[in-house]
Amino acid sequence: MLNLWNLLFLSFVHFSSFGVTLGGVSGSPFTPKSSFIRYWNKEVHREIPNTHFLLSKVSPLTAVDSASFSKLAAHNNLASRLPSFCSSAKLFCFPDLSPSLEKHSKDVNFALYLDRNFTNYGSDRLAGLDSFKNYSENDNVVVDSFRRYSRDSAGHKDQFSNYASASNVVDQSFNTYGGAATGGAGNFNNYNHEVNVPNLRFTSYSDDSNGHGQTFTHYTEETNAGQQSFSNYGKNGNGVPNDFTSYGKDSNVMGSDFSGYGKTANGAKDTFTSYAFDSNNPVNGFKSYGDGGNAAVDSFSSYRDQSNVGDSSFQSYAKSSNGAKVDFDNYGQSFNEGTEKFTGYGQGADGQSIGFKIYGRNTTFKDYTKKGVTFSRYSNESSTASGKVVVSKWVEPGKFFREKMLKRGMVIPMPDIKDKMPARSFLPRTILSKIPFSSSEIDQLKRIFHAGDNSTLGTIMLDALKECERPPSPGETKRCVGSAEDMVDFATSVLGRNVEVRTTQNVNGSKKNIMIGSVGKINGGKVTKSVSCPQSLYPYLLYYCHSVPKVRVYEADILDPNSMEKINHGVAICHLDTSSWSSGHGAFLALGSGPGRIEVCHWIFENDMTWTIADS
């Protein structure tokens, strides 16, 4: 006689000569994937094909591992098994770096190297050169720590060339690097080029050094959404030249903080040339820069020139300094007005020279304590038509388009639809429900995922949590989901149980001109609502799902315009009501017009998805 467990077991599985199969998926019925298939078939009024792309997002954990990690999560002990958990569950985690106390008496060329903690490296070195070339390139997550590097060295040079270029998420910390060094130099050339999310920290770099200069050339060019901080950089230094050339050029939303930079230094010379040039919304903060310094020379040339908006804050810059010379030449010539704040600038300084030559469109000089400031030419023109053209370069061609362009035979540009996020998987609900998900519990989350204070991972998690906790916009319904079951629940709560989920088939055609082939109208082309789910960066796969009213959704074959062969099958969504969008939205920069006056369409990018009511 069959017991109850056997009856339940046989109700959803059948046996084959190759083992247990469920919905075409072979293996144990207790894996997260098998569990999700049963959940889908119960909640959605159609079976999910075993090749469906959504199944590839479900946790790859085995039944045994799923149960084991669920137990650890229930006892708040996942941190003890984090490396194994991250590997088995296919998560985005940072490596744990142990200190490296090794010393080298000869020059070292670090090439094709990855994830290293350099502690006390190169201390007391005499002359020589250490070279970091093609280091950590083309990788997903790069974590390197330089602590007490080249301390008390004399005439020692460090060269960082092609360091971590074309990587995804880069976390690098330079702490007391070159402290008390005499002579020598550090050169950062083509550093972090084309990185997606760079987070770089320079703390007490060249502290108490003498004539040990640094050059930043082609530093963080063409990067996206990163942050750099320079704290007590060159503090108490003597005759330390620092040159920032082509720093942050062509970057998107890059932030840099200079705090206590060159503090109480003597004869410091800092040059900012083509800094944040031709970039989008650069944010730079200078706080107590050169505080108490003597005979410093700071030059800002082509600073934030030809950029789109941006924000710069100079607080207590050159405070209590002696004989400082600060020259702003061609500063802030942005196309759309950014913001500048000068507070306590040069306060208590003696013998200071400040000149602004061809200064951009700022009108916010308040509490400016130093007299004798000269403006050779101050520009406060409104945006011009030519400026609009340059600004629109920050809206990638093809990112937004009109509904009338979705017609067979039309040739249009396609943006880069490639998924830039690290590869991750959902978590099973049995584990997800036991892990905190709140900005108020960020300390606990940082402990679980081994994220230190002021770390990149900690910042990434907090940013995602705050976005998830943001109140919905008027008429919006939203939810962040970290399991496939949660996504199904949200989509069906908005659209009902007769739903389909779609995404663009592949990335073919990205960044090229494409031809539109046959076009299909979802729900017969009726005005409907959908649930869109773009990704958020987080240790496990996290989607920001929200309801989108008044849309039309299309599927279209994408053809190579030369061979006329089909290369992709795209999903596009057209927003018919844009009245609540900002007038500065990229769609209006690219297409013209303004909120509520036109519809705006875009493709669903790789691994993003949109849910609609299923066609009957």
Side-chain angles (χ1 to χ4, degrees):
M1 183 175 178
L2 294 174
N3 60 29
L4 179 60
W5 188 91
N6 284 332
L7 287 171
L8 292 173
F9 181 76
L10 292 175
S11 68
F12 58 76
V13 301
H14 63 273
F15 292 87
S16 72
S17 58
F18 299 98
V20 178
T21 62
L22 178 65
V25 178
S26 223
S28 167
F30 305 112
T31 63
K33 187 164 291 187
S34 295
S35 176
F36 174 67
I37 291 171
R38 294 194 300 275
Y39 193 82
W40 173 284
N41 292 341
K42 178 173 69 77
E43 296 296 326
V44 179
H45 288 170
R46 59 185 62 239
E47 287 194 1
I48 187 169
N50 65 348
T51 57
H52 199 284
F53 75 92
L54 187 56
L55 288 177
S56 67
K57 316 296 180 195
V58 178
S59 175
L61 287 172
T62 65
V64 174
D65 281 344
S66 183
S68 174
F69 290 125
S70 179
K71 185 176 180 180
L72 287 171
H75 290 86
N76 197 24
N77 204 24
L78 268 178
S80 66
R81 295 272 309 277
L82 183 67
S84 175
F85 179 50
C86 290
S87 175
S88 300
K90 195 180 175 183
L91 306 184
F92 160 61
C93 301
F94 279 34
D96 291 330
L97 300 183
S98 58
S100 171
L101 300 178
E102 60 185 301
K103 292 188 177 182
H104 295 270
S105 58
K106 298 181 179 180
D107 295 355
V108 178
N109 180 11
F110 294 90
L112 307 176
Y113 216 69
L114 180 66
D115 293 337
R116 190 60 175 270
N117 184 343
F118 293 87
T119 306
N120 256 349
Y121 184 97
S123 293
D124 302 311
R125 281 287 307 275
L126 295 177
L129 169 68
D130 289 334
S131 175
F132 296 80
K133 186 176 182 181
N134 298 329
Y135 187 105
S136 299
E137 285 208 310
N138 298 296
D139 209 345
N140 185 25
V141 181
V142 176
V143 180
D144 296 316
S145 173
F146 294 83
R147 188 175 181 86
R148 296 193 298 276
Y149 191 104
S150 289
R151 189 174 186 175
D152 296 313
S153 63
H156 183 240
K157 295 182 179 180
D158 306 308
Q159 183 167 332
F160 295 84
S161 179
N162 293 326
Y163 189 103
S165 294
S167 295
N168 188 19
V169 179
V170 175
D171 181 275
Q172 277 144 13
S173 176
F174 293 83
N175 192 6
T176 59
Y177 186 109
T182 299
N187 181 17
F188 294 80
N189 186 24
N190 210 25
Y191 189 98
N192 275 202
H193 182 72
E194 291 186 335
V195 168
N196 188 24
V197 186
N199 188 12
L200 314 171
R201 295 175 300 278
F202 292 82
T203 305
S204 296
Y205 192 109
S206 291
D207 193 359
D208 289 306
S209 66
N210 180 37
H212 185 82
Q214 276 83 40
T215 301
F216 295 84
T217 307
H218 304 297
Y219 187 98
T220 62
E221 284 194 5
E222 299 183 59
T223 57
N224 180 47
Q227 183 70 31
Q228 282 126 185
S229 65
F230 296 82
S231 179
N232 291 328
Y233 189 110
K235 180 182 177 183
N236 299 322
N238 180 47
V240 178
N242 296 309
D243 187 7
F244 293 82
T245 305
S246 198
Y247 181 106
K249 181 180 178 182
D250 287 318
S251 62
N252 181 40
V253 197
M254 175 62 69
S256 298
D257 290 319
F258 294 82
S259 177
Y261 190 110
K263 188 174 182 179
T264 60
N266 179 49
K269 182 179 180 181
D270 302 319
T271 304
F272 295 84
T273 307
S274 295
Y275 188 103
F277 180 84
D278 205 19
S279 58
N280 183 42
N281 196 22
V283 179
N284 304 304
F286 294 84
K287 185 176 181 181
S288 298
Y289 187 109
D291 191 353
N294 179 51
V297 178
D298 298 325
S299 175
F300 294 81
S301 179
S302 296
Y303 182 101
R304 227 177 72 195
D305 198 16
Q306 296 187 28
S307 293
N308 180 35
V309 295
D311 178 271
S312 297
S313 173
F314 293 84
Q315 184 176 347
S316 300
Y317 190 107
K319 178 183 177 183
S320 303
S321 60
N322 178 46
K325 182 179 179 181
V326 183
D327 185 14
F328 294 85
D329 187 353
N330 201 22
Y331 181 102
Q333 290 281 83
S334 57
F335 289 97
N336 281 332
E337 184 173 350
T339 60
E340 274 83 40
K341 185 177 182 181
F342 291 80
T343 306
Y345 190 105
Q347 190 172 23
D350 183 40
Q352 182 160 335
S353 172
I354 301 173
F356 293 85
K357 184 179 180 181
I358 314 179
Y359 192 96
R361 305 180 59 248
N362 169 62
T363 58
T364 58
F365 291 95
K366 295 180 179 179
D367 302 321
Y368 198 67
T369 60
K370 189 67 181 176
K371 296 182 179 179
V373 178
T374 61
F375 294 86
S376 177
R377 193 181 89 202
Y378 184 92
S379 173
N380 191 29
E381 297 93 358
S382 59
S383 295
T384 63
S386 60
K388 289 284 186 180
V389 173
V390 177
V391 171
S392 68
K393 67 166 261 182
W394 289 107
V395 185
E396 191 178 5
K399 185 172 183 179
F400 303 104
F401 51 91
R402 300 292 302 274
E403 200 169 11
K404 63 186 179 182
M405 300 171 75
L406 278 174
K407 289 183 179 179
R408 182 191 288 268
M410 288 286 291
V411 176
I412 62 174
M414 174 175 270
D416 184 3
I417 65 170
K418 185 178 180 180
D419 179 11
K420 301 291 198 304
M421 296 284 189
R424 297 154 297 153
S425 292
F426 279 127
L427 283 180
R429 262 187 173 172
T430 53
I431 298 176
L432 186 70
S433 61
K434 299 176 178 68
I435 298 177
F437 191 77
S438 167
S439 59
S440 63
E441 299 172 289
I442 186 62
D443 288 340
Q444 186 177 349
L445 281 163
K446 285 162 64 176
R447 185 187 67 81
I448 292 172
F449 290 104
H450 296 187
D453 292 335
N454 302 315
S455 66
T456 298
L457 184 57
T459 301
I460 285 171
M461 290 193 294
L462 187 59
D463 287 347
L465 291 167
K466 287 184 176 179
E467 178 61 17
C468 290
E469 294 168 353
R470 176 186 59 79
S473 303
E476 180 188 37
T477 305
K478 72 184 190 75
R479 181 183 178 186
C480 287
V481 298
S483 75
E485 291 88 349
D486 287 347
M487 182 178 279
V488 168
D489 284 353
F490 181 76
T492 55
S493 72
V494 174
L495 302 171
R497 294 193 173 191
N498 186 32
V499 293
E500 286 188 53
V501 56
R502 295 176 172 86
T503 190
T504 297
Q505 190 175 74
N506 55 57
V507 298
N508 293 340
S510 287
K511 303 171 74 172
K512 298 178 181 178
N513 285 337
I514 58 169
M515 178 178 285
I516 303 297
S518 62
V519 178
K521 300 178 179 179
I522 307 305
N523 300 148
K526 295 178 183 177
V527 177
T528 183
K529 59 182 175 180
S530 70
V531 169
S532 285
C533 296
Q535 290 186 73
S536 295
L537 187 56
Y538 206 71
Y540 50 81
L541 188 56
L542 183 71
Y543 281 89
Y544 177 95
C545 292
H546 61 118
S547 62
V548 185
K550 296 184 180 178
V551 299
R552 273 193 284 263
V553 181
Y554 295 87
E555 288 186 318
D557 286 339
I558 295 173
L559 314 180
D560 182 304
N562 297 315
S563 68
M564 308 291 286
E565 292 183 359
K566 179 182 173 180
I567 59 173
N568 202 345
H569 187 73
V571 177
I573 183 170
C574 294
H575 301 264
L576 306 181
D577 182 6
T578 60
S579 58
S580 63
W581 294 19
S582 165
S583 59
H585 194 285
F588 304 130
L589 288 176
L591 303 174
S593 195
R597 296 169 57 190
I598 60 170
E599 87 295 340
V600 173
C601 305
H602 62 85
W603 298 106
I604 299 298
F605 284 19
E606 180 187 25
N607 288 324
D608 291 344
M609 57 191 82
T610 187
W611 294 73
T612 62
I613 298 171
D615 286 324
S616 54

